[in-house]
Amino acid sequence: MIELKGGKTAPLLLDDLNNYDPRRPTVALFNHLVNLPRQHENGGVPSIPWYRNQCKHKWALKDSQCNLPLIIGRPDPKVVSIVAAFCEHCRCHLDLSIDFRGGGRDSCPSEASPLHHFTYQPEISRPRYQPENGAKADNLSEWEDLTWFQCSSIDCSAKLKIRIRSPRLRPEWVELLTDKDLIKSRSEKAIADDPVRFEGIAVPAPCDVLSNLRTYILNALKHPGRRNISANNKKWLLCLGDPCSELLEHIGFRREDDSWLVPQPDTSELPPILNSLNILLDDVEKELLALLLQRPADERRAIKVQYILNPAARSLSKALGTAECKEVWALFSYERQLVVDPDNVPYYLESLQTIADGRKSEDLQTLVAIEASSGKVSAQDVRDAYKLLDLDVASAYLDEDVIIGTFQSRVADAPRQEAELRRALQIIGQDRSSEKIQFMASKTVTNYEQALSWLGATTDMDDEFIVAMYKVKEEDNHAEEATARQAVSLIAQHRRSAALKQWLDTGVLGEVEMDVSQAYNRLQIDDRTISDDFVLSAFTLFHQESPSQVDDLRSALRAIAKDRKSQTLLNFLDSGMATSEYPLGEWPVGLANIGNTCYLNSLLQFYFTMKPLRELVLNFDEYKMALTAENLVKKVVGSRKISRQEVQRAQSFVYRLQKLFESMITSPRAHVAPELELARLTLVTQPLEAALRRRSTTTGNRPSLGEINGKPVMGPPPPSIPEAAIHGTNLIEKPAEPQMNGVYETVEMDNSSEETLLGNDPAEDGVDRDMLGPNPEESQQQQQQILEDKENMPPFKEPSERPRTPDFSLKPLGESSPSRTNEQAPMTEANHDFSNSSSPKKAEQAVIAPPPSRPPPFPPRPHTDDQKQAMVEEVQIGAQQDVTEVISNVLFQLECAIKADSFDSSGEQIDLVKQLFFGKQRSYTLNLQGVLRTKEQFFSNLIVDVASGPKDIYEALDGAFDEQEVEVEGSLRPQYTTITRLPPVLKVMVQRVQYDQKKASAFKSVNHLGLRETIYMDRYMDSEDDDLIQRRKESWDWKRQLRVLEERRADLTKTELDLEMPDVLTAAKEFLDQLSEDDAFEVPDGLRQNIEEAAAESRDELASIDARIKDLTANISSQFVDKRELPYRLQSVFIHVGSATFGHYWIYIRDFVNNLWRKYNDESVSAITDLSPIFDQDPSDRPPTPYFLVYVREDLKDRLVDPVCRNVPEDVVPQPGPENSDTLMDDVILDDDMAMAGNEDGGQGAMAATGNWLKADTKGQRVAW
């Protein structure tokens, strides 16, 4: 019997739902709702077991319990559709709900998936009849059958829940209500007890009983406050009375003295109702209606009431997305079944063949022929293959060895039929997914898998076992010795096993492979559940640290790969790449992790894909700023003056970045390694560099990175918490540092390091004119030279014995200077202090002599190894820097290195980098005088927050622009922000590191941020459009209301008992009810009623709040839906996994030309088809989360983004192995002359050479962004 694991299309599932009766177990427990029709191996018609009393349901709606889908249009991704129904025949209840809130990008039906294709989810389903429990089910009169399905389309998030419940009215109660003899018996008893009172009253019919009870229930549901029913009521006694007490109490009636208290449902509740009593009464009312409709027509006519049920077929069809059957759906269903149940391809192919023949469809018959030509076989082909070998497919003793043995004997008996028999064996092997049988059919040993199969080995068997299997084969048949050695050789090559190679050469087995526990210890991995990426990172780090131990490290990695059955690790061992399926000349290269640089690698990969920036770096000499006095005077980046030294450092950075980019383009390797100096210049900002150098010159030791919580730091920590956030102050009003937060004002300020290091008050041009001699111009240049090179000045020491230069001295630093350690030894009279000279004559002697004829000798450089070690330590320190600082440092250095295209009104440099990555935003603040103050500033990224919970990208962005209160002159005033200029490349930083004030520690927020492939920025633009302004104000008001409602809802739903407030009050009232029955306790009068009223009021309030929240949320989400003139497409997503102090980074980058996403994870660059890691929420405790997003302008994306830029020389062929990487780290120390080489013509107009991506109009002007 074939075990089918495929799914069901929506039409089939609906049809099976109508035939599924959980009350009746079918033959062999066939589940109509879950199982597919079984087809026996003899090719018979699919059989569907049937129970003789099984109900074919006719569903009718229970409107008050429904939340029906829209009849027209696509399903709402934020709403759960509910279809509540009951069967007119068996009275079972159906609750069908379909939920699209999982974040799918294109729910069915769509062009790619015209129907839902549902697959059964057994892990969370609870069918009434369990096959493992036999045919026995629960014996309770109340039961439930719960089945879950999931749409198999990767773009559809639909989750389907089907719950079928037992009827509320038990069989014995139905008998009380409908059996004429029982009704007559209790009626006659009531008449006999009081014949005068009942004189002339007839015995009621079953329709009367059913109708009267239904009327009582309807009155309770629709007319609150109805009076109680007297126990002596004539109609009550004749129809119901005490014999029906159990039934009446079950549905909410209560006997009290001489009266029956009617049920008290919540009549204010809106559909879909959730109150348990409301649902119970509604279910019973519908069952009574079904029983009425089952009564004879003449009996129903006597009560003169017509009942019409609301059929559920249309609503069920809409919820499941069914429609009229089309031929193309057969193809769709076939393709989906192959995806979810690949083991049963023959069954589905034969089914498709049957449909094609039955419909006489040429299209389907052509498809069947194509499938057969591609190697797929049908079930008929499989049956014919077994028949040719005279094998019984149903035999329990039919295993691989029996099949192969039978084949060999048949070939020996009929050698002329060998080809036909081998083809039959191939089909059987393919059907059974048996590599061993397929290998025997192919009669070849050409690869690793075939070699294992031929020897009867598996991938987890070690080298020693391989040799043992060889000996068994060789002893069984000496003629196969050559094939056996070929198999061992293939295994040795695939595993790179030195032990097997030694055995092939000498007959003696070498050292056997490493044990997996030893392998994890070798790579110092304690947690065996970490991902393959972390394992590769550990291997790479140890390999770089100890290259001579590569064989030992590879043995450890291979043992781990085999233990994990990881194809990624095995591919890396074979080819030096985490994946080997991509041609190197047409695929981006990875970047080696050179020590905690996973974030650096992600950042460099992102900048490389930005085509204009890449061309700027590759053609840097055309953009490079000449180091002239005129250029330095004008140089303002980040609202401050830039020094000569900063420009030199930045240009050195760009040259090293250029070298890396060139290698990424031309390398024939799978990955390249950034040089250490590039990592240092990227990760270590100039202020940090100055601090490290001051520390090294005063202590002689450089700081070490060490560990955080006993774990190495894998990349920089996420964006740090502003101090204001820790102390609860407002972030808007805190002044921002110009370089590092992505936003700086266009006001003039100077935070350069001259003032910090020298500690004096320089003149406007940075020169102390009191120190100038008789040649001010020449002396000023010399003084400026010293100021520019102050960071490289050696520490103070006693004068050496080397010959002195002519008398030439600078004014010594004051005692309060923080740079006393850099004070220069005097070059005039020893210990002469001009600052303390009181004699004019002595002051006149302080004349600066002419400059020396040759420069003083350079101080000796430290040993290269020491310098490299110092650089490694600086990179490790830089790896701890704030993410935003690292990103801003790159852009800052690029701007420092290149010449300006123009200057804005504040003197800020405008260049290609500024035009690409920087926008402008304007804040509006209403001050105490009622004046609206504005302030405009540049921004390089937008910062969004997900601390309060999961958010959509628009909801997160709203937080950066919505009106909020800020402190102005000691009082809170409203402020909001708009964008005056959007950059072509829009960067969004996700603030995830939060501060726990109770624990006084930082933590990472892992709340989900729902990304969209396209966002529209119209709503955030600065505008005088009255309509847009009004919409913003409405949206702000709705959000204020929403915050108030959510706070109130939290008060009503979050209690210490983990119950909602209405349930708490109800439980309290029930407890008081129990106490009141005990004479030892006295419950105050009216207390129970007051609590009951409070429970009802809180329940009503909660329902009202939920409805209002739903309306407000819908209004907010649709407020700007028609504003779609400024689309931006998602291009890059930086991902972090770990905590606030430890973790790992990688990046996803979109290739718009080839319409695919790639994952860049250090050395590995791979294509991804499953986009759920980017767009869907990960349910794990510490999920990977996006930290940094990049959106690009829709109309410019093809000119801005170019991920694949490769030009590999044809005559260079890479060799496989771990050395498959270009290493740029050896040349870590560049001569200053080489670092500064290039054009210093100082010309302007850098934007004129931006490459083909910036097109000019007919007048030769550049296109404005």
Side-chain angles (χ1 to χ4, degrees):
M1 194 75 69
I2 298 175
E3 182 183 359
L4 299 175
K5 300 178 181 178
K8 294 186 178 185
T9 57
L12 176 61
L13 185 62
L14 179 57
D15 187 63
D16 289 344
L17 175 60
N18 293 333
N19 294 318
Y20 177 54
D21 189 352
R23 303 175 306 154
R24 306 283 188 262
T26 54
V27 180
L29 294 180
F30 180 86
N31 188 318
H32 280 273
L33 199 58
V34 173
N35 300 130
L36 292 174
R38 295 167 176 169
Q39 180 164 354
H40 294 276
E41 279 68 12
N42 61 6
V45 177
S47 58
I48 302 177
W50 199 265
Y51 194 83
R52 59 181 180 178
N53 293 328
Q54 193 166 333
C55 178
K56 290 190 175 183
H57 300 296
K58 183 178 180 182
W59 302 110
L61 288 177
K62 297 185 292 185
D63 298 280
S64 60
Q65 299 181 41
C66 291
N67 187 24
L68 298 177
L70 298 175
I71 298 299
I72 300 176
R74 296 179 61 79
D76 188 340
K78 296 183 179 180
V79 175
V80 178
S81 296
I82 302 173
V83 179
F86 69 101
C87 177
E88 298 180 29
H89 304 317
C90 67
R91 296 180 290 108
C92 286
H93 296 271
L94 168 67
D95 299 306
L96 183 147
S97 64
I98 186 162
D99 186 355
F100 293 92
R101 296 176 299 177
R105 296 180 300 282
D106 190 11
S107 59
C108 303
S110 63
E111 183 176 352
S113 301
L115 291 171
H116 287 297
H117 182 261
F118 291 109
T119 56
Y120 176 51
Q121 306 294 301
E123 301 83 5
I124 55 177
S125 298
R126 296 196 308 273
R128 186 185 184 200
Y129 287 93
Q130 299 282 1
E132 60 269 20
N133 297 332
K136 295 181 180 179
D138 53 81
N139 294 319
L140 300 176
S141 57
E142 296 182 4
W143 50 263
E144 178 182 272
D145 186 278
L146 179 64
T147 311
W148 283 89
F149 295 89
Q150 171 75 53
C151 183
S152 67
S153 171
I154 61 174
D155 293 326
C156 181
S157 61
K159 294 180 179 63
L160 175 66
K161 181 177 75 171
I162 297 178
R163 184 172 69 135
I164 301 178
R165 295 183 284 110
S166 60
R168 298 284 195 169
L169 298 177
R170 300 173 189 170
E172 60 269 26
W173 294 342
V174 173
E175 189 176 11
L176 278 174
L177 300 175
T178 59
D179 187 280
K180 292 183 178 181
D181 292 336
L182 292 176
I183 296 173
K184 181 179 179 182
S185 174
R186 63 176 177 266
S187 298
E188 289 179 345
K189 182 180 183 302
I191 294 172
D193 291 341
D194 194 350
V196 176
R197 186 164 175 252
F198 288 97
E199 184 178 359
I201 299 178
V203 173
C207 268
D208 296 315
V209 176
L210 295 170
S211 179
N212 288 336
L213 179 57
R214 180 170 176 265
T215 300
Y216 291 132
I217 293 174
L218 287 175
N219 287 337
L221 285 170
K222 297 180 180 180
H223 305 290
R226 298 282 296 182
R227 61 185 178 83
N228 298 332
I229 303 172
S230 172
N232 293 320
N233 181 284
K234 294 181 183 179
K235 186 185 299 184
W236 181 268
L237 282 173
L238 292 176
C239 293
L240 300 168
D242 290 341
C244 298
S245 296
E246 183 183 11
L247 162 63
L248 294 170
E249 291 174 354
H250 176 76
I251 61 178
F253 289 86
R254 284 195 302 117
R255 179 71 180 263
E256 188 173 285
D257 298 330
D258 293 331
S259 299
W260 280 91
L261 305 182
V262 299
Q264 298 293 324
D266 181 4
T267 57
S268 64
E269 187 177 20
L270 300 175
I273 59 175
L274 302 175
N275 181 279
S276 58
L277 179 58
N278 288 23
I279 293 176
L280 171 63
L281 293 174
D282 188 52
D283 287 349
V284 173
E285 185 269 325
K286 294 299 187 296
E287 289 186 36
L288 293 172
L289 185 56
L291 291 171
L292 276 168
L293 294 175
Q294 293 172 13
R295 302 305 301 171
D298 56 344
E299 188 178 316
R300 283 187 281 119
R301 282 195 295 269
I303 61 175
K304 300 179 181 180
V305 177
Q306 299 294 325
Y307 302 104
I308 300 176
L309 297 177
N310 188 4
R314 186 181 183 189
S315 297
L316 289 170
S317 179
K318 179 58 181 178
L320 294 175
T322 65
E324 182 183 356
C325 184
K326 299 180 181 178
E327 187 171 284
V328 69
W329 291 354
L331 171 59
F332 165 75
S333 181
Y334 168 74
E335 291 174 343
R336 296 311 306 163
Q337 297 290 52
L338 297 195
V339 171
V340 301
D341 190 14
D343 293 337
N344 288 307
V345 171
Y347 172 82
Y348 298 119
L349 182 57
E350 183 170 25
S351 299
L352 184 66
Q353 175 71 65
T354 303
I355 295 173
D357 294 342
R359 288 177 171 267
K360 296 181 173 56
S361 169
E362 293 184 0
D363 292 339
L364 294 181
Q365 289 172 346
T366 301
L367 173 63
V368 171
I370 293 174
E371 292 290 272
S373 66
S374 67
K376 293 185 177 70
V377 296
S378 69
Q380 183 62 51
D381 296 328
V382 175
R383 291 192 294 273
D384 291 344
Y386 279 104
K387 184 177 180 181
L388 183 62
L389 291 177
D390 197 20
L391 293 171
D392 181 7
V393 68
S395 173
Y397 303 101
L398 198 62
D399 59 16
E400 292 178 329
D401 293 333
V402 171
I403 294 173
I404 292 174
T406 303
F407 162 76
Q408 290 173 334
S409 64
R410 290 297 307 274
V411 170
D413 294 340
R416 293 185 178 181
Q417 290 184 300
E418 180 177 356
E420 186 178 1
L421 292 169
R422 200 170 287 281
R423 170 60 181 162
L425 186 65
Q426 180 71 36
I427 291 174
I428 294 174
Q430 184 175 340
D431 178 60
R432 300 174 74 101
S433 300
S434 169
E435 293 184 359
K436 184 176 181 179
I437 294 177
Q438 292 184 70
F439 163 67
M440 180 58 66
S442 64
K443 200 179 179 181
T444 57
V445 180
T446 59
N447 57 44
Y448 175 66
E449 290 76 17
Q450 291 177 355
L452 289 174
S453 177
W454 195 87
L455 289 175
T458 59
T459 55
D460 57 348
M461 294 178 179
D462 60 22
D463 294 346
E464 193 172 3
F465 192 88
I466 296 298
V467 173
M469 295 301 296
Y470 164 85
K471 292 178 179 179
V472 171
K473 283 286 187 180
E474 194 268 339
E475 290 174 0
D476 287 346
N477 189 351
H478 292 289
E480 294 181 338
E481 180 181 2
T483 306
R485 287 188 66 84
Q486 171 68 9
V488 175
S489 177
L490 288 169
I491 294 172
Q493 292 176 19
H494 181 84
R495 293 183 174 184
R496 295 180 179 271
S497 171
L500 288 179
K501 289 180 180 178
Q502 180 177 332
W503 180 84
L504 288 168
D505 294 337
T506 66
V508 178
L509 184 64
E511 183 180 354
V512 181
E513 291 186 355
M514 189 179 295
D515 177 73
V516 66
S517 298
Q518 181 184 358
Y520 278 108
N521 290 334
R522 178 65 183 85
L523 296 181
Q524 296 184 14
I525 297 174
D526 297 328
D527 182 6
R528 297 193 182 187
T529 63
I530 63 174
S531 67
D532 290 347
D533 294 329
F534 277 102
V535 175
L536 286 176
S537 297
F539 170 84
T540 303
L541 290 174
F542 280 107
H543 178 225
Q544 292 167 354
E545 183 178 318
S546 305
S548 61
Q549 300 180 17
V550 61
D551 291 338
D552 189 46
L553 294 170
R554 286 178 61 82
S555 297
L557 187 61
R558 183 172 298 282
I560 294 173
K562 290 181 178 181
D563 180 65
R564 289 169 168 249
K565 297 181 175 60
S566 170
Q567 193 60 44
T568 298
L569 298 181
L570 291 173
N571 284 342
F572 179 83
L573 287 163
D574 291 342
S575 65
M577 297 179 66
T579 177
S580 58
E581 57 185 299
Y582 310 111
L584 293 180
E586 303 173 8
W587 199 254
V589 298
L591 294 178
N593 192 315
I594 60 175
N596 307 332
T597 57
C598 53
Y599 180 77
L600 169 70
N601 290 342
S602 298
L603 190 63
L604 293 175
Q605 290 282 18
F606 158 65
Y607 283 125
F608 181 80
T609 64
M610 292 288 102
K611 183 178 180 181
L613 182 67
R614 185 175 67 223
E615 291 182 355
L616 181 153
V617 173
L618 294 174
N619 302 289
F620 176 54
D621 288 341
E622 299 178 18
Y623 298 87
K624 182 179 176 183
M625 190 192 85
L627 293 173
T628 65
E630 179 184 1
N631 287 342
L632 289 172
V633 168
K634 294 181 179 180
K635 192 74 171 180
V636 176
V637 177
S639 301
R640 71 173 179 84
K641 296 280 189 180
I642 303 301
S643 68
R644 174 187 293 271
Q645 183 188 354
E646 288 176 305
V647 176
Q648 290 175 328
R649 184 185 195 273
Q651 291 180 348
S652 175
F653 161 75
V654 179
Y655 273 120
R656 284 173 167 81
L657 186 61
Q658 181 187 73
K659 183 178 179 181
L660 174 67
F661 280 7
E662 289 172 347
S663 180
M664 293 172 70
I665 294 172
T666 61
S667 173
R669 310 296 182 182
H671 57 268
V672 300
E675 65 179 11
L676 201 58
E677 175 65 0
L678 174 62
R680 188 186 73 83
L681 292 172
T682 306
L683 295 173
V684 181
T685 62
Q686 187 152 6
L688 176 61
E689 181 182 57
L692 293 175
R693 290 190 177 182
R694 283 196 297 272
R695 180 173 177 179
S696 66
T697 56
T698 56
T699 65
N701 296 317
R702 290 180 176 265
S704 172
L705 178 63
E707 297 178 340
I708 297 178
N709 297 331
K711 298 179 180 179
V713 175
M714 303 295 285
S720 60
I721 315 163
E723 184 179 356
I726 299 177
H727 299 290
T729 57
N730 195 288
L731 300 181
I732 299 296
E733 288 299 302
K734 182 177 178 179
E737 293 183 347
Q739 297 179 33
M740 299 308 166
N741 67 346
V743 179
Y744 49 77
E745 301 178 20
T746 56
V747 296
E748 189 169 324
M749 55 188 298
D750 192 345
N751 293 348
S752 63
S753 55
E754 284 82 8
E755 187 173 349
T756 304
L757 292 178
L758 295 181
N760 55 10
D761 296 323
E764 191 173 293
D765 55 0
V767 178
D768 191 344
R769 301 189 181 276
D770 291 339
M771 300 172 63
L772 301 182
N775 190 348
E777 182 176 355
E778 186 175 3
S779 298
Q780 180 174 343
Q781 293 177 359
Q782 295 170 354
Q783 175 72 1
Q784 180 70 21
Q785 177 75 20
I786 293 174
L787 289 175
E788 299 288 1
D789 199 37
K790 58 187 173 296
E791 292 292 351
N792 294 319
M793 294 174 68
F796 174 79
K797 62 181 180 178
E798 294 298 327
S800 64
E801 295 300 322
R802 62 182 176 84
R804 290 187 178 184
T805 58
D807 287 346
F808 175 73
S809 63
L810 295 176
K811 181 179 179 180
L813 296 172
E815 289 296 326
S816 62
S817 171
S819 299
R820 288 287 296 177
T821 55
N822 282 339
E823 184 176 352
Q824 302 301 296
M827 296 184 186
T828 56
E829 296 180 10
N831 301 325
H832 188 84
D833 188 352
F834 292 101
S835 62
N836 295 327
S837 297
S838 58
S839 169
K841 184 176 180 180
K842 290 184 178 181
E844 291 174 2
Q845 295 176 2
V847 177
I848 296 179
S853 58
R854 59 185 177 83
F858 285 105
R861 288 189 175 184
H863 192 272
T864 301
D865 291 342
D866 295 339
Q867 194 169 3
K868 182 174 181 178
Q869 179 60 30
M871 194 180 303
V872 170
E873 292 175 352
E874 285 194 14
V875 169
Q876 290 178 334
I877 294 294
Q880 296 184 82
Q881 296 307 295
D882 188 292
V883 167
T884 54
E885 289 186 1
V886 177
I887 295 172
S888 299
N889 185 43
V890 173
L891 297 181
F892 175 75
Q893 292 193 92
L894 285 168
E895 287 200 88
C896 288
I898 63 177
K899 51 193 173 184
D901 183 52
S902 61
F903 300 91
D904 69 5
S905 57
S906 68
E908 179 74 20
Q909 172 175 309
I910 305 299
D911 48 46
L912 175 60
V913 174
K914 189 83 88 223
Q915 291 200 358
L916 276 176
F917 298 104
F918 286 79
K920 277 192 174 184
Q921 59 187 25
R922 179 178 294 151
S923 62
Y924 293 83
T925 308
L926 190 66
N927 65 13
L928 293 173
Q929 292 73 35
V931 179
L932 192 64
R933 303 290 298 273
T934 65
K935 180 171 67 175
E936 189 173 42
Q937 56 189 9
F938 281 106
F939 71 89
S940 64
N941 54 69
L942 301 175
I943 300 178
V944 300
D945 187 8
V946 291
S948 60
K951 293 181 180 179
D952 175 78
I953 182 63
Y954 281 125
E955 185 181 1
L957 286 171
D958 288 349
F961 297 97
D962 282 351
E963 185 179 69
Q964 53 189 306
E965 291 187 330
V966 299
E967 187 173 344
V968 178
E969 300 176 3
S971 64
L972 295 178
R973 306 300 299 165
Q975 181 187 80
Y976 69 93
T977 305
T978 61
I979 297 176
T980 56
R981 177 191 176 274
L982 273 170
V985 182
L986 180 65
K987 306 193 301 299
V988 181
M989 177 66 67
V990 185
Q991 177 66 51
R992 289 196 176 274
V993 176
Q994 308 295 330
Y995 189 78
D996 188 332
Q997 295 187 356
K998 293 183 180 179
K999 297 180 179 179
S1001 63
F1003 69 94
K1004 174 187 172 183
S1005 169
V1006 296
N1007 288 323
H1008 178 61
L1009 178 62
L1011 305 182
R1012 303 191 183 198
E1013 290 194 4
T1014 304
I1015 60 174
Y1016 300 89
M1017 299 299 293
D1018 309 59
R1019 65 187 70 182
Y1020 306 116
M1021 297 304 295
D1022 197 74
S1023 173
E1024 296 181 357
D1025 182 4
D1026 292 338
D1027 175 63
L1028 180 60
I1029 294 173
Q1030 181 60 32
R1031 290 196 198 189
R1032 282 180 185 152
K1033 292 180 178 179
E1034 289 177 350
S1035 179
W1036 297 340
D1037 183 59
W1038 291 335
K1039 290 174 183 177
R1040 282 190 288 268
Q1041 295 180 43
L1042 191 60
R1043 285 192 293 270
V1044 172
L1045 289 171
E1046 288 174 341
E1047 291 175 0
R1048 178 56 182 162
R1049 192 183 194 285
D1051 293 339
L1052 292 173
T1053 57
K1054 297 179 181 179
T1055 65
E1056 295 181 0
L1057 300 177
D1058 290 332
L1059 295 173
E1060 295 185 353
M1061 185 58 67
D1063 297 329
V1064 172
L1065 293 172
T1066 300
K1069 193 264 181 186
E1070 292 174 351
F1071 178 71
L1072 292 176
D1073 289 342
Q1074 296 175 4
L1075 290 180
S1076 65
E1077 297 174 359
D1078 191 341
D1079 296 337
F1081 295 93
E1082 182 177 352
V1083 178
D1085 295 337
L1087 178 59
R1088 288 182 292 165
Q1089 183 178 355
N1090 291 340
I1091 293 178
E1092 187 174 15
E1093 292 174 356
E1097 290 175 1
S1098 62
R1099 188 174 289 107
D1100 293 344
E1101 183 182 4
L1102 194 57
S1104 175
I1105 288 174
D1106 288 339
R1108 183 56 180 158
I1109 287 176
K1110 181 179 179 181
D1111 292 340
L1112 288 173
T1113 303
N1115 291 342
I1116 293 170
S1117 62
S1118 62
Q1119 182 72 338
F1120 301 99
V1121 71
D1122 58 328
K1123 299 292 184 180
R1124 304 167 69 91
E1125 296 181 3
L1126 294 174
Y1128 274 70
R1129 295 285 295 278
L1130 185 62
Q1131 187 264 339
S1132 294
V1133 182
F1134 289 70
I1135 299 291
H1136 175 267
V1137 61
S1139 66
T1141 57
F1142 167 81
H1144 179 63
Y1145 285 92
W1146 64 87
I1147 185 174
Y1148 296 104
I1149 298 179
R1150 177 73 181 271
D1151 184 339
F1152 294 106
V1153 174
N1154 296 303
N1155 193 28
L1156 61 84
W1157 283 88
R1158 294 184 182 91
K1159 179 181 180 180
Y1160 296 71
N1161 191 349
D1162 288 338
E1163 295 88 347
S1164 169
V1165 182
S1166 57
I1168 62 167
T1169 55
D1170 180 11
L1171 302 184
S1172 58
I1174 300 176
F1175 296 99
D1176 296 347
Q1177 184 169 2
D1178 189 326
S1180 60
D1181 293 336
R1182 300 178 70 177
T1185 51
Y1187 255 100
F1188 191 68
L1189 319 171
V1190 180
Y1191 282 87
V1192 295
R1193 247 178 65 175
E1194 167 73 31
D1195 57 333
L1196 298 174
K1197 66 180 188 301
D1198 294 333
R1199 287 188 282 168
L1200 292 170
V1201 182
D1202 182 27
V1204 182
C1205 182
R1206 302 282 278 132
N1207 186 15
V1208 181
E1210 296 182 358
D1211 57 341
V1212 179
V1213 180
Q1215 300 298 322
E1219 66 279 6
N1220 187 10
S1221 169
D1222 278 346
T1223 302
L1224 308 180
M1225 294 176 58
D1226 297 335
D1227 184 20
V1228 294
I1229 306 298
L1230 296 179
D1231 291 336
D1232 290 338
D1233 292 340
M1234 183 179 72
M1236 295 297 106
N1239 179 26
E1240 297 188 359
D1241 56 10
Q1244 298 297 319
M1247 292 298 292
T1250 56
N1252 295 331
W1253 68 279
L1254 260 182
K1255 304 296 183 183
D1257 59 19
T1258 55
K1259 298 181 180 180
Q1261 300 297 319
R1262 289 186 304 278
V1263 176
W1265 294 110

